[in-house]
Amino acid sequence: MPALNWSKTPHWRNYHRTQDRSQVDTAKLVPNGAPLGAIAALRQTAAQFGFVLASAARQKLPLTALGSAWSFSDITKNNGFLLHTGLAQHIWQVDAADLGPAAVHRDRMVLVHGGTTIHELNAFLEPDLSLITTGAHDGQTVGGMLGTGVHGSVLRYGGFQNHVRGVHIVTGPGESWWIERGPMPWLASATAAALANHVVLEPDLFDAALVHLGGLGIINAVLIEAAPGYVVDVVRVKHPLTAASIGLLEKGDFAAFAREVWAPSREEPYYIEVILDPFHPYAGYRGAAHNALITLFYKREPDRSITRSLAANGASVVEAAHETLNLLAKALSAQPEQDLLLPLPQAVAWLVAQEFHPEPAAGTVPRRMTWGKANGPHVRQEILGWDIELYNAAYAIERQHLTTTLKTMLDAFHSNGGGHQVFTLRFVTKAAGLMAFTRFDDSVVINMDGLRTLNSSDAARNVALALERTAIPFSQHWGKQGVITSTRVARDFGSPADPTTRAGRWRAARYRLLSPAMRETIRSDALSAWGLA
């Protein structure tokens, strides 16, 4: 089990190098001793987290708990302590005796340390069990995923947080909470009481914790309900994107869209992603149709005789079908800017297309992969030798208004020459959590992925302003680089001062869970700027 190591980090940067700090007081979990059982292990890390919180509070400094530090936004920014939770990464299959009556599928329940990466979780679950959806990066930690409400593009499903049935959150020295929705418990009452000194089954408190924004405490563990193991057939095509095909996506006729872009399709896919070049939008808006980069997954029952080999082998490095930023970074690392024949803004989409390899070949069957292999592994940039600063803003909009919204966004993108980006469409339904940025029943997340340049940030800012001018509802990803303000938070989630709004209910949970001293300690610059602290 891990122990705490204290040090002063000379220079700290988050994963995407959007935050820089010098001489940072850092607490880090390091290996120490033999593995423990679930409850003993979680009690130990909870005590360690509480000790760090007490130290920060004594010095009147804020504390940020980090997983893989993936987020682009200011959500990890403050002037105080850093706590690295990366070694809190154990996973336990929960014994049936430790489960409550709500856990009907008792063989699917796992208790997961907050510092566990999605890569580790996939490896633990597969091939007999599987996650239903994840984000575009399997190096993110479970606690970090809940921090910003990470989504995928599985049709008819929400975000990663929709898997969660219980949350263990540390809120101070000697203080932790086990939180579930209720009314019946998922974790047996005695087991929960052995883990935390507060055990509550309350929908609002649970829904607040599902997207905690780093402001409710330190996520020590979550109880996850996995799905039965499955595999996906992977299809990647370059196909003209038309106004009619966008209309099919807007209506939710995903089966018809899939048939249009891949003739062998006879069913609704499990997953759809569309990458489009904003400089050559689809026919009916500006110019001729262009080839969009489209990924489809088809869910299949596993063949047990081959699934174990699929879980052990599979995707090569950076083959994750939907990791647009990785495609771009890989292309640019091998293609210096001065060698490009196109102006750089237009060249970004061209470069992404060069790294997008259609499959399957005509007359062959699609590759069949487990979910974890089809969505990973992500390999850290320093290992691959990349030195490229990437930009990503993400907007959740209502699917029923996709055509109008996309036109507005593309017009705004072009208003000052455009950015160094591509647009990526992903689909989310009924995401859990009070502060899920995918707050619409049927959301389309439109990512602006590309290079970190002034053009890119200006283009994203223009898009947000255009959506506001035309009164199109949208929300921005908490972990990305859009401009989130307290005014926009209040517009999208209601006033934090009103206890009946989403933001007000989330803030009430913060005041319920944290003492005044801990509210000063567990905060970030972002929470203050958003009006939520």
Side-chain angles (χ1 to χ4, degrees):
M1 286 304 299
L4 273 176
N5 176 264
W6 293 82
S7 64
K8 191 174 284 290
T9 301
H11 180 219
W12 176 82
R13 303 178 94 179
N14 61 342
Y15 181 84
H16 283 296
R17 299 177 290 188
T18 59
Q19 308 292 338
D20 276 273
R21 294 181 59 195
S22 298
Q23 300 300 317
V24 186
D25 289 312
T26 303
K28 190 173 185 177
L29 295 175
V30 296
N32 181 58
L36 300 174
I39 300 303
L42 293 174
R43 286 171 63 93
Q44 179 177 322
T45 48
Q48 291 166 331
F49 295 161
F51 182 74
V52 177
L53 285 169
S55 299
R58 278 196 304 271
Q59 298 181 55
K60 299 187 183 304
L61 290 171
L63 175 125
T64 297
L66 300 171
S68 52
W70 173 265
S71 292
F72 290 79
S73 76
D74 287 349
I75 202 164
T76 60
K77 184 178 182 180
N78 71 31
N79 62 346
F81 283 86
L82 294 178
L83 169 62
H84 291 270
T85 65
L87 275 184
Q89 53 186 218
H90 293 78
I91 310 167
W92 299 270
Q93 191 95 34
V94 184
D95 190 284
D98 289 319
L99 292 169
V104 176
H105 303 293
R106 301 174 91 76
D107 58 339
R108 301 185 198 169
M109 307 304 299
V110 291
L111 197 56
V112 186
H113 245 148
T116 304
T117 66
I118 297 303
H119 178 78
E120 292 161 338
L121 184 52
N122 282 329
F124 181 91
L125 294 174
E126 294 177 353
D128 298 318
L129 297 173
S130 180
L131 295 173
I132 298 170
T133 193
T134 48
H137 172 60
D138 70 358
Q140 290 170 312
T141 61
V142 167
M145 298 270 278
L146 299 189
T148 59
V150 173
H151 66 93
S153 194
V154 168
L155 307 179
R156 323 293 181 186
Y157 195 73
F160 172 76
Q161 68 272 18
N162 286 59
H163 293 94
V164 174
R165 303 294 176 260
V167 179
H168 185 219
I169 189 165
V170 178
T171 58
E175 292 289 322
S176 73
W177 298 65
W178 179 260
I179 307 170
E180 297 182 15
R181 182 185 303 281
M184 293 192 301
W186 287 80
L187 196 65
S189 300
T191 305
L195 181 59
N197 59 319
H198 303 280
V199 178
V200 294
L201 278 65
E202 297 181 17
D204 260 23
L205 213 54
F206 180 71
D207 286 340
L210 289 183
V211 183
H212 60 78
L213 303 178
L216 302 182
I218 302 172
I219 300 295
N220 190 36
V222 297
L223 180 67
I224 283 178
E225 182 178 20
Y230 64 91
V231 293
V232 294
D233 287 348
V234 178
V235 174
R236 286 146 58 93
V237 297
K238 295 182 179 181
H239 193 275
L241 195 64
T242 65
S245 59
I246 290 290
L248 292 174
L249 293 173
E250 179 177 275
K251 291 189 297 183
D253 195 345
F254 301 118
F257 176 82
R259 286 194 300 272
E260 179 182 293
V261 302
W262 190 56
S265 179
R266 296 294 180 268
E267 64 195 276
E268 179 173 290
Y270 184 64
Y271 168 105
I272 293 178
E273 180 197 74
V274 179
I275 302 173
L276 62 90
D277 178 357
F279 286 95
H280 299 282
Y282 56 91
Y285 168 52
R286 180 186 287 119
H290 79 290
N291 280 338
L293 313 178
I294 300 165
T295 299
L296 310 171
F297 290 169
Y298 292 87
K299 187 176 181 182
R300 300 287 181 250
E301 291 298 317
D303 180 341
R304 294 298 177 186
S305 65
I306 64 170
T307 302
R308 291 193 180 277
S309 64
L310 290 173
N313 303 294
S316 60
V317 171
V318 200
E319 198 174 284
H322 60 317
E323 222 171 329
T324 313
L325 291 175
N326 264 352
L327 293 175
L328 176 59
K330 185 180 179 186
L332 282 171
S333 65
Q335 185 77 52
E337 178 181 341
Q338 61 267 25
D339 293 343
L340 297 174
L341 299 177
L342 297 168
L344 185 56
Q346 292 91 326
V348 165
W350 179 85
L351 285 166
V352 170
Q354 304 318 297
E355 291 300 324
F356 183 94
H357 302 297
E359 60 175 302
T364 62
V365 298
R367 282 187 303 159
R368 186 159 290 184
M369 310 176 77
T370 63
W371 177 260
K373 292 300 181 183
N375 291 278
H378 177 87
V379 180
R380 294 187 70 86
Q381 292 182 17
E382 60 267 26
I383 295 174
L384 294 175
W386 296 342
D387 188 23
I388 298 164
E389 294 192 339
L390 301 172
Y391 183 92
N392 185 250
Y395 304 92
I397 59 105
E398 292 182 282
R399 176 169 55 77
Q400 63 179 324
H401 303 309
L402 176 59
T403 298
T404 301
T405 304
L406 190 54
K407 180 183 184 305
T408 300
M409 292 178 69
L410 289 166
D411 277 339
F413 175 85
H414 282 275
S415 61
N416 287 319
H420 303 88
Q421 296 142 314
V422 294
F423 279 35
T424 305
L425 312 185
R426 301 192 182 106
F427 301 86
V428 182
T429 299
K430 295 187 184 302
L434 285 173
M435 300 302 286
F437 88 101
T438 45
R439 62 191 172 93
F440 309 107
D441 279 354
D442 287 295
S443 295
V444 181
V445 179
I446 304 179
N447 287 273
M448 296 175 66
D449 296 323
L451 300 181
R452 192 177 311 157
T453 65
L454 289 176
N455 296 63
S456 292
S457 57
D458 284 347
R461 188 177 296 108
N462 289 338
V463 162
L465 291 171
L467 293 174
E468 287 177 326
R469 281 195 301 272
T470 51
I472 294 175
F474 72 99
S475 297
Q476 297 176 83
H477 196 308
W478 301 107
K480 300 295 178 66
Q481 289 173 283
V483 181
I484 303 176
T485 64
S486 58
T487 301
R488 286 173 171 166
V489 171
R491 178 201 63 206
D492 297 346
F493 298 94
S495 169
D498 182 347
T500 67
T501 67
R502 285 190 177 211
R505 290 153 63 195
W506 185 91
R507 196 162 182 263
R510 175 172 162 82
Y511 274 66
R512 170 98 177 274
L513 293 170
L514 302 178
S515 68
M518 286 298 108
R519 288 199 295 273
E520 287 302 306
T521 303
I522 299 171
R523 63 174 175 82
S524 65
D525 290 0
L527 279 182
S528 299
W530 298 339
L532 294 171

